[in-house]
Amino acid sequence: MQPAIIRAERVEKYYSQPSENRIQVISPTDLSIVQGEIIALLGPSGSGKSTLLRMLTGLSTPSAGQVYWHEAPIQSANVNVSIVFQSFALFPWLTVLENIEAPLKARGVDAATRRKRSLKILDTVGLDGFQAAYPKELSGGMRQRVGFARALVVEPEVLFMDEPFSALDVLTAENLRSELLELWHKRTIPTKSIFIVTHNIEEAVLLADRIIVLGRNPGHIRTDFRVNLAHPRDRKAAAFTQLVDYIYKVLTQPEAPAPALPNINGRRVRDQREMKYQMLPHARPGGIAGLLEFLLDHGGKSDIYRLADDLAFEIDDLLPIVEAASILKFLTVTEGDAAITALGTEYANAEILRQKEIFREAAVKNVLLLRQIVRALQSKSDHTVPEDFFHDTLDEVFSEEETVRQLETAINWGRYAEIFDFDSTRRRFTLPESALAEPESTFADAPEVEEEEKDKQETGL
Amino acid sequence: MIQLPAGFHLRRDTLARSVVVRRSWPVFLDLCVAGLLLACFYAVVQIARYWNSTPRTDFAISLSPHALPMYAFFSIVRIGFAYLLSLAFALIYGYIAAYTPRLEGLMLACLDILQSIPVLSFLPGVMLAMVALVPGHQLGIEMGAIILIFTGQAWNIAYSFYASLKAIPRELTEAARIYNFSPIQRFFHLELPFATIGLIWNSMVSVAGGWFFLMACEMFILGSRDFRLPGLGSYLQTAAANGDFRAITYGLLTMIAIIVATDQLLWRPLIAWSDKFKFEQTESSNRVSSPLLHLLQHSTAISHLRQRTLRPVSEFFYRTSYKRRAIQHQQPASDSTVQKVLRYVAAGLFIGIVLFAATHAIVLLREVQPRQIGMIFLGAGATFLRVFAALLIGSAWTIPAGVAIGLHPRLARIAQPLAQIAASVPATAVFPVLLVAIVKAGGGLGIGSIALMLLGTQWYILFNVIAGAIAIPSDLREVGRLFRFSTVEKWKVIILPSIFPYLITGLVTASGGAWNASIVAEYFRLKNQTLSTFGLGAQISAATDAGQFPVLLWATIVMALIVVTINRLLWRPIYRIAETRYKLSA
């Protein structure tokens, strides 16, 4: 086996909380980057793709474990890598040429050599004649070419790319991808390995020699396999679509149970899967209804890959909606197929008030956070509870950013289903007037005392 | 025959002409630049000669118009030095605050409080210290004035730089790190450019504030000593005291000319230049243009100069910083214990000095009689009412006027430049003149002080209201027209809520300014008589005059506390509501 250029050994990332808990973002992971391969890293949002990339480049220090650069710890090594960023990350006040020269300046290259190398790389990426332009005068595709040129001018051993094509339109992205492949296969660039983070499955299958799929909560490697299709790859070929379908299945399959995590320094490591607060997918009720109606029109059952294709959705946009519908038991997911349930059918066919009623029942029954909000509101004499109350409990389970998003989604769902009102200036939940008038009938389906005990165990309150 | 596209000949023609222009212009441009350089040289010589002269505390201020250019020049130099000092301070302070997590909270709290402390309370201490530090030269008094202006200018620039550093997009910082930028390269390629626009806008505000205080502190009395600095402020004060209306007019005209010139020759080119630092994805259409900037950018002499001086210097820096880093890489951190000990010693010393000074200040505070303290608080109440009145009167006329200007583009075209000129004249320059008029009409300083506060602060409200009114979306106004809202309804439902966040921003600034202005406004010397009215500002000024430092310290602390408390307890909550509920953008 070849020696690894970059090798990650049991790297993990977690955030410590003020209490004994900590939030695990990435569980201990091993990963090597060897010479001569393009690696694609796939995963749903929140699986820590970018975090992993930053640890591999040395930008971010792992909470535990170690990253090695040619078998030396990466912090003290003289690392030769580049990153192409999603947002290009060009300096808008520097011209194209100055942008490309900047990394060479940092390496103490003299002015004449700097200029020569920069102009040569400009020529390579097809930006001849644009050296005096400012980035904002260029189109998105051109700007990303500058991003490539700046990354390549230092002749990195490993070229990292963080969703480099996702800010571009489809055609421009396609064009840049094929040019990148050409540079790579013709060995125009001395780069030994390319590591690309993406959420576009086809892009991964199109480019990569090796694909790694991450799962989330916390981020971990689900599968890591080689792609043995010959270049140029044909999107219509059976082998290609089979591979794409396989990855869709991996991404949508229920998680396999992971081995138990060890005790570290006497602190119990809390894995997010142990918490019974589900991670609410950030989908809007309108999107869920739309998806169900679409499914009904297609016979109630469809391949998620086909669904994404028909709707012209990126997988990152579609998966949260599918997941939300499945949490509410409006549909079931098996083997990459989504099938609508009886409840889902009723929901999709109902008129608007009835729809809200069904949503309300399903949400209160299946979403712990909403159930807790309702119970707290009913038990308070003034029927109002500050947002902070739930913020603090969620904070123990999710990162600060995720807590805010979780509450945002819960508020969105709760307002839609008229489970509660939310006063956004005072940041308080209140019971809606209709519920105040006749709480019995409105929340007839809200789980009562017998589930109280279970909830307490679940949340560890 | 092939049809040439229309205008083809014309285009070739203009092309040719522009080439000729490009050829012949640089010579002319270079001559202009040479002229500028000569003027600078002369100015430096003049300043040096003046600063080296022996101190004359009783400078006779000549009211002749011939003396005016020199006075104006001296005032400008004072402002300039104070500004450069502020900028240097702001960059260092902001940088340390942003990158030292352990000090960040403390340094921000300091900024907040320093911003609220009335600058003029520093005057006696600073002056005496500076005169003692540089005895036998005019330089001492001059430095005192400069440091005083500095204390009024530095804080908001520092805060702006800090906020910019904190707002740098993560991917840009990561790009700088992955390509191993040295701190110097990061500063010039990333941090400074990113902060430039904020720095320029805050500098404009600061320099305008600088004029306000310069006018006040060019002529003041400390105990038995009468300090006078030759300058525009002392010229105007003398002219007002003598009732010389011709001199007053000349002085004010010079003031306006200076302000218009600074705007045209300094701020406009800077703003036009800073356009390239805008962090935006697309080029905006309406850009500020500046002929002077064009001149500087297209002068071959300047570009040659840059090629010979800046380039080699920066190349040298980049090379050495790379070499140094390469060496560091070979021999990783060795003497951390020595550094640690040194750091603790430095911190210990600093804390010791602070404690020593603080205890002495407390001893000083105990000298004040309880009765005097009671008077200070009563005075604070009186000044509070005055500030409140000034804000009320200010809002009463600026809200309708601002909304009218903002909603009618044609009116705006006439009124806005006029308002800008009126606003740019520092209130302290007009104050002596205004006061003479009020006294002649039989009024006292009670009304006069409110007038000065109003003069200085109403513009903040006006400009913010105009900005707010311009930002009201036209579809909202159309809704009002569609449903035939009455005037009252229109104001209640559309206009007032829309301008609310802007109005609050204006009021916060105005309130701070009014408190500070009270020191100048409530106590004033005209000819040989002292006018004063009961209030905290008057107490500060009187204590300064009489050299009663304990009372001065008490009054200053009380004023700072009041301003900070009002900001925290009143403005901040209102501001939060404005930001959440009345913000128009989604």
Side-chain angles (χ1 to χ4, degrees):
Chain A
M1 202 187 138
Q2 294 188 57
I5 304 173
I6 296 177
R7 187 167 61 83
E9 197 178 88
R10 309 286 295 162
V11 291
E12 55 182 315
K13 194 83 183 175
Y14 51 76
Y15 299 109
S16 295
Q17 289 298 100
S19 68
E20 290 299 280
N21 294 327
R22 61 188 200 192
I23 292 165
Q24 191 83 24
V25 182
I26 293 178
S27 50
T29 301
D30 294 318
L31 185 68
S32 301
I33 299 175
V34 297
Q35 188 169 343
E37 60 181 9
I38 300 183
I39 304 174
L41 185 68
L42 273 167
S45 60
S47 57
K49 287 174 296 200
S50 291
T51 315
L52 192 56
L53 177 137
R54 278 159 180 77
M55 289 199 293
L56 289 174
T57 54
L59 272 182
S60 156
T61 317
S63 312
Q66 181 62 268
V67 180
Y68 297 94
W69 169 261
H70 289 294
E71 297 309 319
I74 200 162
Q75 274 77 27
S76 54
N78 202 356
V79 184
N80 184 17
V81 297
S82 289
I83 302 182
V84 175
F85 293 93
Q86 180 179 8
S87 65
F88 320 137
L90 301 174
F91 302 110
W93 36 82
L94 300 182
T95 62
V96 167
L97 190 65
E98 286 167 336
N99 259 298
I100 297 171
E101 280 187 10
L104 293 178
K105 248 186 198 176
R107 295 183 179 211
V109 179
D110 68 275
T113 321
R114 222 162 54 204
R115 204 177 164 79
K116 214 178 77 197
R117 279 173 68 176
S118 304
L119 286 175
K120 192 172 150 244
I121 204 81
L122 267 177
D123 189 36
T124 310
V125 301
L127 274 174
D128 238 353
F130 281 98
Q131 53 264 37
Y134 283 97
K136 61 181 145 197
E137 297 170 53
L138 305 178
S139 68
M142 291 297 220
R143 259 180 254 169
Q144 193 57 300
R145 277 171 200 267
V146 182
F148 273 112
R150 186 179 63 177
L152 292 173
V153 77
V154 293
E155 307 193 331
E157 269 191 72
V158 183
L159 175 65
F160 285 90
M161 296 197 259
D162 189 5
E163 310 211 356
F165 307 112
S166 61
L168 307 174
D169 65 87
V170 184
L171 290 178
T172 311
E174 190 64 36
N175 185 11
L176 270 180
R177 268 195 289 267
S178 60
E179 282 183 32
L180 174 72
L181 271 182
E182 202 183 312
L183 290 180
W184 170 252
H185 287 303
K186 284 190 178 164
R187 302 259 169 260
T188 321
I189 47 177
T191 300
K192 290 181 185 157
S193 185
I194 295 180
F195 186 95
I196 176 167
V197 164
T198 176
H199 63 253
N200 185 326
I201 296 171
E202 284 193 23
E203 180 175 293
V205 179
L206 209 57
L207 292 176
D209 303 311
R210 180 179 154 201
I211 294 178
I212 300 171
V213 181
L214 289 188
R216 65 179 186 198
N217 299 344
H220 61 283
I221 294 182
R222 294 280 303 282
T223 166
D224 179 347
F225 59 92
R226 299 203 67 80
V227 181
N228 292 319
L229 303 174
H231 284 282
R233 293 174 182 165
D234 175 15
R235 285 168 192 269
K236 294 280 187 293
F240 191 98
T241 51
Q242 270 168 15
L243 207 50
V244 171
D245 207 39
Y246 166 71
I247 297 171
Y248 265 100
K249 271 180 196 152
V250 173
L251 279 173
T252 52
Q253 238 166 29
E255 307 265 333
L261 285 160
N263 269 322
I264 295 173
N265 304 335
R267 276 182 158 199
R268 196 166 76 90
V269 180
R270 281 189 104 184
D271 182 325
Q272 286 198 15
R273 273 166 298 183
E274 285 177 42
M275 322 282 161
K276 293 303 188 285
Y277 273 117
Q278 332 69 328
M279 170 108 84
L280 285 184
H282 307 290
R284 292 178 177 278
I288 298 171
L291 175 71
L292 293 175
E293 280 165 32
F294 192 83
L295 257 183
L296 265 189
D297 289 346
H298 287 68
K301 191 171 176 194
S302 173
D303 193 332
I304 296 178
Y305 169 35
R306 281 268 318 279
L307 215 55
D309 215 35
D310 288 347
L311 290 165
F313 267 30
E314 290 274 6
I315 193 72
D316 259 18
D317 302 324
L318 184 64
L319 275 187
I321 306 177
V322 172
E323 209 177 310
S326 113
I327 283 179
L328 295 170
K329 307 231 157 64
F330 289 163
L331 56 76
T332 52
V333 179
T334 38
E335 296 279 297
D337 287 340
I340 197 162
T341 59
L343 187 65
T345 314
E346 192 192 347
Y347 176 69
N349 287 328
E351 46 79 41
I352 189 156
L353 284 181
R354 177 71 193 135
Q355 260 192 346
K356 286 192 175 199
E357 225 167 274
I358 297 172
F359 193 96
R360 176 161 62 228
E361 281 166 22
V364 173
K365 198 164 142 201
N366 296 312
V367 180
L368 174 63
L369 177 59
L370 290 173
R371 196 154 68 229
Q372 282 184 331
I373 295 174
V374 168
R375 198 164 303 134
L377 284 174
Q378 283 172 342
S379 61
K380 287 275 293 278
S381 57
D382 59 350
H383 300 302
T384 117
V385 181
E387 184 193 20
D388 284 346
F389 180 76
F390 299 103
H391 191 283
D392 292 346
T393 10
L394 285 175
D395 224 13
E396 292 294 303
V397 186
F398 301 110
S399 65
E400 174 62 31
E401 204 180 324
E402 189 53 45
T403 298
V404 173
R405 299 218 304 171
Q406 287 292 315
L407 276 168
E408 219 169 77
T409 306
I411 290 166
N412 200 344
W413 288 16
R415 274 175 161 171
Y416 161 79
E418 295 172 28
I419 297 170
F420 49 73
D421 277 344
F422 183 72
D423 181 342
S424 58
T425 16
R426 289 161 58 225
R427 308 301 296 177
R428 290 180 86 89
F429 295 98
T430 52
L431 269 191
E433 277 161 35
S434 58
L436 280 177
E438 33 176 358
E440 297 304 314
S441 66
T442 317
F443 294 105
D445 285 297
E448 290 299 328
V449 196
E450 65 268 23
E451 278 198 46
E452 195 98 356
E453 280 304 312
K454 209 176 113 211
D455 283 356
K456 273 192 188 148
Q457 286 172 353
E458 282 170 1
T459 53
L461 285 173
Chain B
M1 194 183 131
I2 304 162
Q3 196 91 59
L4 278 175
F8 181 77
H9 286 288
L10 200 83
R11 262 188 47 220
R12 275 197 51 177
D13 186 39
T14 44
L15 212 79
R17 197 179 298 152
S18 76
V19 169
V20 174
V21 169
R22 213 174 291 156
R23 284 239 175 126
S24 61
W25 265 78
V27 181
F28 177 71
L29 295 183
D30 290 345
L31 282 178
C32 292
V33 171
L36 281 175
L37 288 177
L38 274 179
C40 286
F41 180 72
Y42 175 73
V44 169
V45 169
Q46 279 295 316
I47 284 291
R49 192 185 295 162
Y50 160 69
W51 276 358
N52 254 329
S53 61
T54 44
R56 291 165 58 190
T57 50
D58 53 345
F59 231 99
I61 300 295
S62 156
L63 286 183
S64 141
H66 297 294
L68 253 180
M70 212 50 184
Y71 286 162
F73 172 65
F74 283 138
S75 291
I76 291 172
V77 169
R78 247 163 245 148
I79 290 269
F81 270 98
Y83 170 69
L84 288 181
L85 195 63
S86 306
L87 187 65
F89 168 84
L91 292 185
I92 295 168
Y93 194 94
Y95 200 88
I96 295 175
Y99 289 118
T100 322
R102 249 181 289 173
L103 294 178
E104 194 175 346
L106 180 71
M107 290 181 83
L108 278 189
C110 274
L111 267 192
D112 192 28
I113 291 179
L114 285 171
Q115 238 171 351
S116 331
I117 287 181
V119 177
L120 290 181
S121 306
F122 293 147
L123 195 143
V126 170
M127 277 301 169
L128 294 177
M130 283 301 138
V131 172
L133 206 65
V134 195
H137 287 297
Q138 189 71 23
L139 193 59
I141 310 174
E142 205 61 63
M143 268 165 66
I146 287 171
I147 287 177
L148 219 58
I149 301 168
F150 157 82
T151 55
Q153 287 183 332
W155 323 123
N156 62 323
I157 309 181
Y159 188 78
S160 149
F161 187 59
Y162 163 81
S164 297
L165 287 183
K166 281 282 169 183
I168 295 177
R170 199 183 67 157
E171 295 206 324
L172 283 187
T173 327
E174 286 179 345
R177 274 185 59 200
I178 201 78
Y179 295 123
N180 271 322
F181 281 15
S182 60
I184 294 174
Q185 193 180 7
R186 199 179 59 190
F187 185 72
F188 284 110
H189 273 175
L190 176 59
E191 289 154 347
L192 193 59
F194 190 78
T196 299
I197 294 183
L199 284 178
I200 290 177
W201 287 104
N202 275 286
S203 299
M204 288 171 72
V205 173
S206 278
V207 170
W211 279 110
F212 184 92
F213 287 111
L214 182 65
M215 294 291 110
C217 71
E218 275 181 351
M219 206 171 164
F220 58 89
I221 289 152
L222 207 62
S224 59
R225 296 164 78 178
D226 184 358
F227 289 93
R228 279 182 204 181
L229 292 170
L232 206 52
S234 44
Y235 180 90
L236 275 169
Q237 278 192 38
T238 318
N242 292 348
D244 184 341
F245 280 98
R246 207 176 56 112
I248 290 173
T249 324
Y250 281 134
L252 285 181
L253 283 180
T254 313
M255 183 81 244
I256 292 174
I258 290 173
I259 281 161
V260 172
T262 338
D263 187 57
Q264 289 297 318
L265 299 180
L266 190 64
W267 299 129
R268 273 183 82 87
L270 273 178
I271 290 170
W273 172 73
S274 74
D275 202 61
K276 76 172 184 180
F277 299 113
K278 244 184 220 159
F279 197 74
E280 58 183 8
Q281 295 305 316
T282 48
E283 217 167 349
S284 60
S285 51
N286 51 350
R287 298 173 52 182
V288 179
S289 63
S290 159
L292 183 71
L293 179 70
H294 182 87
L295 189 153
L296 290 177
Q297 280 177 335
H298 290 83
S299 155
T300 40
I302 285 195
S303 79
H304 271 299
L305 202 67
R306 237 178 36 191
Q307 207 83 3
R308 296 279 142 74
T309 55
L310 275 180
R311 280 282 161 73
V313 168
S314 77
E315 287 297 329
F316 173 77
F317 266 120
Y318 289 131
R319 256 202 313 281
T320 49
S321 72
Y322 173 72
K323 270 186 206 143
R324 205 179 317 132
R325 218 151 7 116
I327 291 166
Q328 269 173 2
H329 245 300
Q330 281 163 9
Q331 33 180 247
S334 56
D335 56 349
S336 58
T337 42
V338 178
Q339 277 185 344
K340 219 181 254 176
V341 168
L342 271 178
R343 200 177 301 156
Y344 279 123
V345 169
L349 264 178
F350 181 73
I351 292 171
I353 291 171
V354 169
L355 278 180
F356 178 79
T359 40
H360 274 255
I362 289 171
V363 169
L364 207 60
L365 282 181
R366 286 182 52 193
E367 288 173 20
V368 182
Q369 315 274 317
R371 206 180 52 82
Q372 272 176 307
I373 297 173
M375 290 302 281
I376 287 175
F377 277 98
L378 276 182
T383 305
F384 177 81
L385 289 180
R386 247 170 242 133
V387 169
F388 187 68
L391 290 186
L392 216 59
I393 299 170
S395 315
W397 84 265
T398 53
I399 293 176
V403 169
I405 293 174
L407 292 187
H408 299 96
R410 214 185 300 164
L411 182 62
R413 231 170 294 146
I414 305 164
Q416 211 158 5
L418 286 180
Q420 259 157 4
I421 290 179
S424 61
V425 177
T428 36
V430 192
F431 188 49
V433 185
L434 189 76
L435 198 59
V436 171
I438 290 177
V439 170
K440 259 194 194 145
L445 203 58
I447 303 167
S449 61
I450 296 180
L452 176 68
M453 290 179 190
L454 197 59
L455 217 56
T457 56
Q458 59 194 351
W459 308 110
Y460 296 119
I461 315 177
L462 180 70
F463 289 124
N464 275 294
V465 170
I466 293 177
I470 289 175
I472 299 178
S474 57
D475 40 5
L476 272 190
R477 287 162 60 197
E478 277 160 13
V479 168
R481 230 171 294 144
L482 192 67
F483 295 129
R484 293 175 198 287
F485 278 6
S486 67
T487 315
V488 177
E489 257 177 320
K490 209 166 74 188
W491 275 84
K492 231 171 68 183
V493 180
I494 300 171
I495 297 175
L496 284 181
S498 306
I499 63 169
F500 188 68
Y502 296 87
L503 181 63
I504 294 303
T505 312
L507 282 175
V508 172
T509 327
S511 150
W515 276 100
N516 228 336
S518 72
I519 299 175
V520 196
E522 292 177 346
Y523 186 93
F524 204 82
R525 268 170 194 264
L526 208 58
K527 279 181 200 162
N528 292 320
Q529 69 187 103
T530 308
L531 298 171
S532 89
T533 178
F534 184 68
L536 190 58
Q539 277 157 345
I540 289 179
S541 298
T544 306
D545 250 9
Q548 293 175 315
F549 292 110
V551 178
L552 178 63
L553 194 58
W554 256 106
T556 309
I557 290 174
V558 168
M559 188 177 277
L561 275 181
I562 291 175
V563 176
V564 172
T565 316
I566 292 179
N567 275 348
R568 295 258 162 95
L569 295 186
L570 181 72
W571 294 124
R572 234 179 249 180
I574 297 183
Y575 198 75
R576 205 165 300 139
I577 292 175
E579 280 290 288
T580 50
R581 246 183 92 179
Y582 294 108
K583 191 137 194 188
L584 271 169
S585 59

Coordinates of all heavy atoms in Angstrom, one line a residue, chain A residues 124-153:
Chain A
T124 N -3.5 28.5 -17.9 CA -3.9 27.1 -17.7 C -5.4 27.1 -17.4 O -6.1 26.2 -18.0 CB -3.2 26.5 -16.5 OG1 -1.8 26.7 -16.7 CG2 -3.5 25.0 -16.4
V125 N -5.9 28.0 -16.6 CA -7.4 27.9 -16.3 C -8.2 28.7 -17.2 O -9.4 28.9 -17.0 CB -7.7 28.4 -14.8 CG1 -6.9 27.6 -13.8 CG2 -7.3 29.9 -14.7
G126 N -7.6 29.3 -18.3 CA -8.4 29.9 -19.3 C -8.8 31.3 -18.9 O -9.9 31.8 -19.3
L127 N -7.9 32.1 -18.2 CA -8.3 33.4 -17.8 C -7.4 34.5 -18.4 O -7.3 35.6 -17.9 CB -8.3 33.6 -16.3 CG -9.5 33.2 -15.5 CD1 -9.3 33.2 -14.1 CD2 -10.7 34.1 -15.9
D128 N -6.7 34.0 -19.5 CA -5.8 34.9 -20.2 C -6.4 36.3 -20.5 O -7.6 36.3 -21.0 CB -5.4 34.3 -21.5 CG -3.9 34.1 -21.6 OD1 -3.2 34.6 -20.6 OD2 -3.4 33.5 -22.5
G129 N -5.8 37.4 -20.1 CA -6.3 38.7 -20.5 C -7.2 39.3 -19.4 O -7.6 40.4 -19.5
F130 N -7.4 38.5 -18.3 CA -8.3 39.0 -17.3 C -7.4 39.5 -16.0 O -8.0 39.8 -15.0 CB -9.3 38.0 -16.8 CG -10.4 37.9 -17.7 CD1 -10.5 36.9 -18.7 CD2 -11.5 38.7 -17.6 CE1 -11.6 36.7 -19.5 CE2 -12.6 38.6 -18.5 CZ -12.6 37.6 -19.4
Q131 N -6.1 39.5 -16.2 CA -5.3 39.7 -15.0 C -5.6 41.0 -14.3 O -5.4 41.2 -13.1 CB -3.8 39.6 -15.3 CG -3.3 40.4 -16.4 CD -3.2 39.6 -17.7 OE1 -4.1 38.8 -17.9 NE2 -2.2 39.8 -18.5
A132 N -6.0 42.1 -15.0 CA -6.1 43.4 -14.4 C -7.6 43.6 -13.9 O -7.9 44.7 -13.3 CB -5.8 44.5 -15.4
A133 N -8.4 42.7 -14.2 CA -9.8 42.8 -13.7 C -10.0 42.6 -12.2 O -9.2 41.9 -11.6 CB -10.7 41.9 -14.5
Y134 N -11.0 43.2 -11.7 CA -11.4 42.9 -10.3 C -12.4 41.8 -10.2 O -13.2 41.7 -11.1 CB -11.9 44.2 -9.6 CG -10.8 45.1 -9.2 CD1 -10.5 46.2 -10.1 CD2 -10.1 45.0 -8.1 CE1 -9.5 47.1 -9.7 CE2 -9.0 45.8 -7.7 CZ -8.8 46.9 -8.6 OH -7.8 47.8 -8.3
P135 N -12.4 41.0 -9.2 CA -13.3 39.8 -9.1 C -14.7 40.2 -9.4 O -15.5 39.4 -10.0 CB -13.1 39.3 -7.7 CG -11.7 39.6 -7.4 CD -11.4 40.9 -8.0
K136 N -15.1 41.4 -8.9 CA -16.6 41.7 -9.0 C -17.0 42.0 -10.4 O -18.1 42.1 -10.7 CB -17.0 42.8 -8.0 CG -16.3 44.1 -8.2 CD -16.8 45.1 -7.2 CE -15.7 46.0 -6.7 NZ -16.1 46.7 -5.5
E137 N -16.0 42.2 -11.3 CA -16.3 42.4 -12.7 C -16.5 41.1 -13.4 O -16.9 41.1 -14.6 CB -15.2 43.2 -13.4 CG -14.9 44.6 -12.8 CD -13.7 45.2 -13.3 OE1 -13.5 45.3 -14.6 OE2 -12.8 45.6 -12.5
L138 N -16.3 40.0 -12.8 CA -16.3 38.7 -13.4 C -17.6 38.0 -13.1 O -18.2 38.2 -12.1 CB -15.2 37.8 -13.0 CG -13.8 38.4 -13.2 CD1 -12.7 37.4 -12.7 CD2 -13.5 38.7 -14.7
S139 N -18.0 37.0 -13.9 CA -19.1 36.2 -13.6 C -18.7 35.1 -12.6 O -17.6 35.0 -12.3 CB -19.6 35.5 -14.9 OG -18.6 34.5 -15.3
G140 N -19.7 34.4 -12.1 CA -19.5 33.4 -11.0 C -18.5 32.4 -11.5 O -17.5 32.0 -10.8
G141 N -18.7 31.9 -12.7 CA -17.8 30.9 -13.2 C -16.3 31.3 -13.3 O -15.4 30.7 -13.0
M142 N -16.2 32.6 -13.9 CA -14.9 33.2 -14.0 C -14.2 33.3 -12.6 O -13.0 33.1 -12.5 CB -15.0 34.5 -14.7 CG -15.4 34.5 -16.1 SD -14.2 33.6 -17.1 CE -14.2 34.6 -18.5
R143 N -15.0 33.7 -11.7 CA -14.5 34.0 -10.3 C -14.0 32.7 -9.7 O -12.9 32.6 -9.1 CB -15.6 34.5 -9.4 CG -15.4 36.0 -9.2 CD -16.5 36.5 -8.3 NE -17.5 37.2 -9.1 CZ -18.7 37.6 -8.7 NH1 -19.0 37.3 -7.4 NH2 -19.5 38.3 -9.4
Q144 N -14.7 31.6 -10.0 CA -14.2 30.3 -9.4 C -13.0 29.9 -10.2 O -12.1 29.2 -9.6 CB -15.3 29.3 -9.5 CG -15.0 28.0 -8.7 CD -14.7 28.3 -7.2 OE1 -13.8 29.0 -6.9 NE2 -15.5 27.7 -6.3
R145 N -12.8 30.3 -11.5 CA -11.6 30.0 -12.2 C -10.4 30.6 -11.5 O -9.4 30.1 -11.3 CB -11.7 30.4 -13.6 CG -12.4 29.5 -14.5 CD -12.6 30.1 -15.9 NE -13.6 29.4 -16.6 CZ -13.4 28.4 -17.4 NH1 -12.1 28.0 -17.7 NH2 -14.4 27.7 -18.0
V146 N -10.7 31.9 -11.0 CA -9.6 32.6 -10.3 C -9.3 31.8 -9.0 O -8.2 31.7 -8.6 CB -10.0 34.1 -9.9 CG1 -8.9 34.8 -9.2 CG2 -10.4 34.8 -11.2
G147 N -10.4 31.3 -8.4 CA -10.2 30.5 -7.1 C -9.4 29.3 -7.4 O -8.4 29.0 -6.6
F148 N -9.6 28.6 -8.5 CA -8.8 27.5 -8.9 C -7.3 27.9 -9.2 O -6.4 27.3 -8.7 CB -9.3 26.8 -10.2 CG -10.4 25.8 -9.9 CD1 -11.7 26.1 -10.3 CD2 -10.1 24.6 -9.3 CE1 -12.7 25.1 -10.0 CE2 -11.1 23.7 -9.0 CZ -12.4 23.9 -9.4
A149 N -7.2 29.0 -9.9 CA -5.8 29.5 -10.2 C -5.0 29.8 -9.0 O -3.9 29.4 -8.8 CB -5.9 30.7 -11.1
R150 N -5.7 30.5 -8.0 CA -5.0 30.8 -6.8 C -4.6 29.6 -6.0 O -3.6 29.5 -5.4 CB -5.9 31.7 -5.9 CG -5.2 32.2 -4.7 CD -6.1 33.1 -3.9 NE -7.2 32.4 -3.3 CZ -8.1 32.9 -2.5 NH1 -8.0 34.2 -2.2 NH2 -9.1 32.2 -2.1
A151 N -5.5 28.5 -6.1 CA -5.2 27.3 -5.3 C -4.1 26.5 -6.0 O -3.3 25.9 -5.3 CB -6.5 26.4 -5.2
L152 N -4.1 26.6 -7.3 CA -3.1 25.8 -8.1 C -1.7 26.4 -8.2 O -0.7 25.7 -8.4 CB -3.6 25.4 -9.5 CG -4.8 24.5 -9.5 CD1 -5.4 24.4 -10.9 CD2 -4.5 23.2 -8.9
V153 N -1.6 27.8 -8.0 CA -0.4 28.4 -8.3 C 0.7 28.0 -7.3 O 1.9 28.1 -7.6 CB -0.6 30.0 -8.3 CG1 -0.7 30.5 -6.9 CG2 0.5 30.7 -9.0

